[in-house]
Amino acid sequence: MAAGPLDPFNQAISLSVNCDSQAEIDRLWKALSKGGSVEQCGWLKDRYGVSWQIVPTILGEMMNDPDRARAKRAADAMLGMVKLDIAGLRKAYDAPH
């Protein structure tokens, strides 16, 4: 179905891609955001208006850490990013108390 401008894409649905490396994040981010727009926390819209989440796999592990202080530091770092940066997330996650 093609409703055109009567039914544009919105954020009710997004595609999530887990990436194992920063190089993979960077490659996908560049390709998918070309002609689109970037947003906070690893979100972007491609040139067609489809929402994507480009997420490092390690972030899920960090967020599920039983040490809630470490998980919170990773979450806080993520909230301050546009394109997610594994090194920045790891630095916040590993920071001393």
Side-chain angles (χ1 to χ4, degrees):
M1 290 180 27
L6 300 176
D7 191 21
F9 286 112
N10 61 54
Q11 290 181 313
I13 187 168
S14 67
L15 302 172
S16 182
V17 181
N18 288 327
C19 301
D20 292 328
S21 69
Q22 190 64 48
E24 187 177 14
I25 291 169
D26 294 345
R27 181 180 61 82
L28 289 170
W29 191 265
K30 181 179 179 183
L32 290 169
S33 65
K34 184 177 182 180
S37 61
V38 299
E39 300 175 19
Q40 290 295 116
C41 305
W43 286 72
L44 62 84
K45 286 185 182 175
D46 67 18
R47 65 182 176 221
Y48 304 107
V50 176
S51 292
W52 295 79
Q53 297 170 282
I54 308 301
V55 183
T57 304
I58 192 76
L59 182 60
E61 296 169 26
M62 291 176 180
M63 299 293 283
N64 288 310
D65 191 311
D67 181 338
R68 299 316 302 157
R70 291 182 89 190
K72 183 177 182 337
R73 289 193 301 270
D76 289 346
M78 177 200 62
L79 291 171
M81 296 178 180
V82 177
K83 177 177 70 173
L84 300 185
D85 173 62
I86 294 172
L89 293 168
R90 168 86 46 210
K91 183 177 178 182
Y93 178 76
D94 290 336
H97 300 295

